[in-house]
Amino acid sequence: MERPRILVVGGGFAGVECARRLERQLAPIEAEIALIAPFSYELYLPLLPQVAAGVLTPQSVAVSLRRMLRRTRIIPGGAVGVDPKAKMVILRKITDELAAEPYDYLVLAPGSVTRTFDIPGLVEHARGMKTLAEAAYVRDHVISQLDLADAATSQQERISRLQFVVVGGGYAGTETAACLQRVTASAIRRYPRLNPNLIKWHLVDIAPKLMPELGEKLGDDAMEILRKRGIEISLGVSVAEVGDESVKLTDGRVIPSRTLIWTAGVAASPLVNTLDAETVRGRLAVTAEMRVPQFENMFALGDAAAVPDLAKGDGAVCPPTAQHAQRQGKVVADNVIALIRGHEMKPYFHKDLGLVVDLGGADAVSKPLGIEMQGIAAQGVARGYHLMALRTNVAKVRVMTNWLLNATAGDDFVRTGFQSRRPARLRDFEYTDSYLTKEQIRDYTAELEARK
C-alpha cells in the first residue's frame, strides 16, 4: 500500500512546527512528509531588527531546516499556485524553473508579505523588514547614509540623509526604530565632522496608540523610552507621498529623508489568491480545526489563514504572530494525523503567554502572563523568551554569543555591500510578482496531464 503524501507549504514558524510534529507522531511507514521552502532555514522574525542593527549576525536568526527536520523531504522553492482538483502544488524552484508536487494532504503555511497601500512613490522607495535580505539591506543603507552625509558638500543633502522614517507602530516598526536609532547614536562618534543633532528618527503610525496590544500603561512606557532617546513619534497620521529625498505625511508635514522603512502590517501570501476559496480580510477562511472547507484534505494556518480565535469569540480571528503560528502548527499536525487514522480532529484554542518588546540595550517592555514589566527585568524576560523559542541549540548559542559580543565589544558599523547592486523594492525581496494566475495554473496542470 502506497504511503499518503503530506505536503507542507512554507518554512516559517507554522510550517516547520507542523512538520516537526508530524515527524515525531507518525511512523515512517504511515506517511511521506515533504516541505516546500524557498530557503534552507526558518527565519526567526522577532529578532530581525537586531540583525538590521548589527547586534546579531544573519546566520544567528536563520535556523537550519536540516537540523530541525530529520526525515522530511525539503523541496527548495516557493509555491506559486495550487490546483486542488488535481491535488497538485505548482512551485518555482530556486533555479526559477516551474515544477509540480502532488499531495494527498496539504498544509498551507505560506506566511505573509509586507502590506502596502496605493501611496505615490511607496513601492519605489519603501524598504521592508520582512526577510533576511531586507534586514541586511536596511543595515547597509542606514550606515551608507552616514557615510554619504559625512562626505556631502551641501547642508540640504546632509539633512536629508540623516533623517530616517519608520512607518508602523506595531512590534516590528517599534523595535526597528528603537534598534536602528541606537546604531546611529553610537556610530556618530566615528563621524567627527557630523553634527549629532542632525540625526533624527521618526516613527509614524495611523493608529492612536503605540503597540495597543501591550495595554495603555506599557504602551505609554514604551513611547516615553523612545522619546527620551530623541525618536519623534507621530500617531494618527500616515504617509501621503514618498519622493527621492522627502516623505510627505497626511498632516501636511514634509520630512527631508532618503530612508523610509515600511512595517505597516502584513498581508497574506499571494498564494491565497490562486485558490477559489473564501477569504476573511485577504486570509483563507478556515474552520476551528484549520481545515479549508471547500477542498478535501486541505489545511491552512499562520499568517495566511483567518483561524477563529475561540478564546475571544465573537468572530475574532487569531493575529498573525509567531506565538500563534507555532501552536497552530502542532494542532494542524495532530489533525492531519487524526484524519489519516480516522480519529476525531480538535479545534485550535490558545492561552496567551504574553508579549515581549526588546527596545535595545537595557530597554524593554514585557507582559508575560499579564504581568507588566519594563527595564532590565523586562529585557531578561524578552531575551529568555526568544532563546526558548529558537528551535536548535546551535541557534541559541549563536544568539547568546552575539548578544555578549555586542554588549562588550560594540559595533564596527561596516557596510558589507552584499545588497548594494540589487533592486531594493519590496517585490524584489519578497517575490510578490512570482505567483501564477488561476488560468496559468490550470494550463500548467493540463499540460502535465497531457504528457502522461
Side-chain angles (χ1 to χ4, degrees), residues 63 67 387 390-400:
V63 188
R67 279 188 182 270
L387 288 175
L390 288 164
R391 288 306 187 210
T392 70
N393 290 330
V394 171
K396 296 177 198 288
V397 171
R398 281 203 180 103
V399 167
M400 285 191 292

Side-chain angles (χ1 to χ4, degrees), residues 239-303:
V239 173
E241 187 177 348
V242 189
D244 289 334
E245 301 177 17
S246 65
V247 177
K248 184 178 181 180
L249 303 182
T250 51
D251 61 4
R253 282 181 293 156
V254 177
I255 300 172
S257 174
R258 303 183 188 220
T259 306
L260 175 65
I261 302 171
W262 185 265
T263 67
V266 296
S269 164
L271 184 67
V272 167
N273 300 325
T274 71
L275 285 160
D276 285 316
E278 183 185 347
T279 58
V280 176
R281 295 183 181 178
R283 299 162 71 185
L284 283 171
V286 296
T287 66
E289 295 78 21
M290 289 171 281
R291 292 189 72 174
V292 181
Q294 293 94 332
F295 306 116
E296 182 186 24
N297 298 344
M298 185 185 295
F299 294 80
L301 66 161
D303 293 4

Side-chain angles (χ1 to χ4, degrees), residues 164-434:
F164 306 90
V165 181
V166 179
V167 180
Y171 303 113
T174 302
E175 290 187 337
T176 296
C179 290
L180 287 173
Q181 183 274 334
R182 283 178 58 85
V183 170
T184 54
S186 298
I188 195 64
R189 297 195 296 266
R190 314 283 176 91
Y191 298 85
R193 294 179 63 252
L194 291 180
N195 181 352
N197 295 324
L198 291 180
I199 298 179
K200 295 187 185 299
W201 281 87
H202 302 264
L203 181 58
V204 177
D205 194 51
I206 193 66
K209 291 283 184 183
L210 196 69
M211 296 181 293
E213 301 90 341
L214 281 173
E216 189 167 346
K217 181 182 181 304
L218 281 186
D220 289 344
D221 289 344
M223 277 204 297
E224 183 67 18
I225 290 168
L226 298 183
R227 281 177 170 153
K228 280 182 178 177
R229 290 201 206 160
I231 297 175
E232 184 174 323
I233 301 172
S234 301
L235 299 175
V237 298
S238 189
V239 173
E241 187 177 348
V242 189
D244 289 334
E245 301 177 17
S246 65
V247 177
K248 184 178 181 180
L249 303 182
T250 51
D251 61 4
R253 282 181 293 156
V254 177
I255 300 172
S257 174
R258 303 183 188 220
T259 306
L260 175 65
I261 302 171
W262 185 265
T263 67
V266 296
S269 164
L271 184 67
V272 167
N273 300 325
T274 71
L275 285 160
D276 285 316
E278 183 185 347
T279 58
V280 176
R281 295 183 181 178
R283 299 162 71 185
L284 283 171
V286 296
T287 66
E289 295 78 21
M290 289 171 281
R291 292 189 72 174
V292 181
Q294 293 94 332
F295 306 116
E296 182 186 24
N297 298 344
M298 185 185 295
F299 294 80
L301 66 161
D303 293 4
V307 179
D309 190 339
L310 300 182
K312 289 185 178 179
D314 295 325
V317 297
C318 296
T321 65
Q323 193 178 128
H324 278 291
Q326 286 183 321
R327 295 179 184 185
Q328 289 169 7
K330 293 178 181 178
V331 175
V332 163
D334 290 342
N335 285 341
V336 170
I337 294 167
L339 206 57
I340 291 172
R341 295 174 178 171
H343 298 164
E344 187 176 345
M345 293 185 291
K346 62 181 180 182
Y348 173 69
F349 189 92
H350 76 100
K351 182 179 179 182
D352 192 12
L353 293 178
L355 306 163
V356 296
V357 182
D358 190 332
L359 299 175
D363 294 330
V365 290
S366 299
K367 196 175 180 181
L369 302 174
I371 303 168
E372 296 185 345
M373 307 171 70
Q374 63 170 303
I376 292 290
Q379 183 67 279
V381 169
R383 295 199 167 183
Y385 171 79
H386 291 315
L387 288 175
M388 179 184 70
L390 288 164
R391 288 306 187 210
T392 70
N393 290 330
V394 171
K396 296 177 198 288
V397 171
R398 281 203 180 103
V399 167
M400 285 191 292
T401 303
N402 274 247
W403 280 336
L404 179 62
L405 184 63
N406 185 264
T408 55
D411 194 341
D412 285 329
F413 311 109
V414 172
R415 283 184 290 115
T416 63
F418 292 152
Q419 306 290 340
S420 60
R421 299 295 180 187
R422 180 173 182 175
R425 295 162 299 184
L426 294 172
R427 71 184 183 202
D428 296 314
F429 281 132
E430 301 183 26
Y431 308 105
T432 52
D433 55 355
S434 295

Side-chain angles (χ1 to χ4, degrees), residues 75-139:
I75 305 168
V80 295
V82 181
D83 187 337
K85 186 177 179 182
K87 284 199 169 182
M88 198 88 69
V89 171
I90 315 300
L91 65 133
R92 193 178 299 280
K93 295 193 290 187
I94 58 175
T95 57
D96 213 32
E97 302 168 272
L98 288 181
E101 191 67 32
Y103 67 85
D104 296 302
Y105 299 88
L106 180 62
V107 177
L108 291 175
S112 56
V113 296
T114 301
R115 180 180 61 185
T116 58
F117 301 95
D118 189 19
I119 297 171
L122 180 66
V123 296
E124 291 83 11
H125 299 289
R127 309 294 174 244
M129 274 291 291
K130 197 83 175 61
T131 69
L132 207 52
E134 285 174 317
Y137 178 89
V138 165
R139 173 172 170 78

